[in-house]
Structure formats: C-alpha cells, structure tokens
C-alpha cells in the first residue's frame, strides 16, 4: 500500500502548501468534549444528518430551529415516547421537512440513545470510548441499532459531532482501489475490515487523526 507520506506530499502539491492542507482539516473533539455533550445534542445532530442526506445542507440547517422547537429540543425520552398521533402532527407541520421515514427514525434513534446511555452513562461516553482503530464497527452498530444510519450517514454523523472517523467518499475509495486495497466500494464486513487496517497503518505512520488522514487522501 502507498505510504502516507506520499499521500501527504500529493495533497500539498494539489493545495499549494502544507498550510493550505492543514487549514482544510476537520475538527476532532477530545474525549472529554465528547462526554460533555448531552444526549439531546447527539440525537439532534444524528437527526440533522439524516435529514441532510440527499438534500441541500443549508436548507436543513435553516429549518433546524423549527425541528428543535417541535421535538422538545430533542429530549430523548420525549422523542422515544412519541405516539403515532404526534408523528402525524409533525407531518402536518409546514415548518419542517415532512419525510415520514426520517421523522419516524427520530423515535427509533431516541430509544437507541436512551438504551446506550443506560448502559454507558451517556451516549457521548459511548462514542468517546469506542476505539478509532475499530471505527467501522461503530458504523455497523449505529446501522444495526438505529434507523436511517446506514451508508455514509453513521460516519458523517460521527464526523459532525467531532468523533475521529474517516469517511469513504468517492475520492477515498478511488485511492484505495488504485493502490490495490480493494476492488470495489467497500460494503461487506470483510472489505471494511481491510479498509480499517489500511487506515490503521496510515495512522501509525503519520500519527494524524483518522479524519485528517481521510481528508488528505481525498
């Protein structure tokens, strides 16, 4: 596999300088910062990511205060206990994006957040404790136990809240394919494990956060 230093130098050539490369790197939160955020914050950001999928992000972000107001500031218990009648009311709220599947996902994901918080103390503690060298299995956990968190949504949600994770964008996948790590976009458990191992090697070599490596590769 190509050395990470070669990827870094390519990024520098593309951006024009190391300063430009570093300026484009995403923010990574500390474990303490992840733990400090409320469960409601994580449910809100998780839901925002789900609604962003396939839509212009600025449109969703502009409407998000209305979502917060309509959903009790994303209090997980209140959201988990929403009856079907409340879902119908949300579908009639013109201030929101009225997508039934995504609105139903809020209730499912609220229950997941509550279950995780009960076991781990808080949802933030749960994701803070998950090792970055096994991040693909955190993606799998969110997909299995939540709703609408498959594909790139789980990873993008984690990136949004500052958890260190790489993203399998088209550019990243193209680099992995070009250098023989994979032959197609990784979706199977086997291929994702291979990709994780490659990023682990780059992390050991470059000593950079996984999200930074991902951005450099792309």
């Amino acid at each position: 596999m190509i050395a990470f230093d070669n990827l870094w130098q390519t990024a520098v050539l593309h951006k024009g300088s190391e300063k430009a490369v570093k300026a484009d790197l995403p923010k990574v939160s500390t474990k303490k910062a992840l733990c400090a955020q409320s469960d409601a914050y994580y449910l809100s950001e998780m839901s925002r990511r789900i609604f962003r999928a396939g839509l212009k992000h600025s449109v969703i972000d502009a409407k998000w205060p209305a979502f917060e107001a309509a959903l009790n500031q994303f209090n997980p218990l209140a959201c988990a206990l929403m009856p079907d009648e409340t879902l119908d009311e949300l579908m009639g709220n013109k201030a929101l994006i009225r997508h039934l599947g995504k609105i139903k996902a809020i209730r499912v994901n609220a229950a997941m957040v509550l279950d995780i918080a009960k076991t781990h103390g808080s949802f933030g503690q749960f994701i803070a404790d998950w090792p970055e060298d096994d991040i693909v299995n955190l993606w799998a956990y969110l997909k299995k136990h939540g709703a609408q968190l498959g594909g790139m949504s789980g990873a993008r949600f984690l990136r949004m809240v500052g958890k260190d994770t790489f993203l399998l964008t088209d550019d990243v996948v193209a680099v992995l394919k070009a250098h023989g790590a994979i032959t197609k976009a990784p979706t199977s458990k086997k291929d994702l494990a291979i990709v994780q191992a490659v990023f682990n090697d780059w992390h050991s070599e470059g000593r950079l956060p996984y999200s930074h490596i991902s951005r450099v590769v792309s």
Side-chain angles (χ1 to χ4, degrees), residues 7 17 19 27 38 87 89 125 128 147 158 172 200 207 214:
L7 294 169
S17 68
K19 182 178 180 180
K27 180 182 176 181
S38 69
L87 298 181
E89 291 173 7
Q125 186 73 57
L158 294 172
V172 171
N200 290 347
R207 296 298 176 183
S214 179

Side-chain angles (χ1 to χ4, degrees), residues 29-154:
S29 295
T30 64
K31 183 174 181 178
K32 182 178 180 181
L34 290 170
C35 292
Q37 296 286 7
S38 69
D39 292 339
Y41 163 79
Y42 286 111
L43 180 59
S44 177
E45 291 300 276
M46 189 183 301
S47 303
R48 190 201 299 247
R49 167 53 213 164
I50 289 168
F51 275 90
R52 277 181 172 183
L55 295 173
K56 193 173 182 179
H57 293 184
S58 61
V59 171
I60 302 303
D61 293 348
K63 288 181 174 288
W64 212 245
F67 274 90
E68 293 275 359
L71 286 147
N72 297 289
Q73 306 303 312
F74 283 93
N75 176 284
L77 183 59
C79 290
L81 295 177
M82 287 190 298
D84 289 344
E85 291 77 11
T86 299
L87 298 181
D88 291 339
E89 291 173 7
L90 293 171
M91 285 295 293
N93 188 335
K94 294 182 179 180
L96 310 181
I97 300 294
R98 290 171 289 173
H99 184 296
L100 183 58
K102 293 182 178 183
I103 287 176
K104 283 184 174 181
I106 296 170
R107 184 168 63 182
V108 175
N109 290 331
M112 176 183 69
V113 167
L114 289 172
D115 287 343
I116 288 172
K118 183 177 180 180
T119 304
H120 296 270
S122 71
F123 188 85
Q125 186 73 57
F126 169 72
I127 65 169
D129 287 343
W130 197 287
E132 288 79 12
D133 63 2
D134 186 39
I135 202 70
V136 296
N137 280 317
L138 179 52
W139 302 349
Y141 184 99
L142 294 173
K143 177 182 178 181
K144 179 179 179 180
H145 296 279
Q148 301 265 347
L149 289 171
M152 291 281 286
S153 286

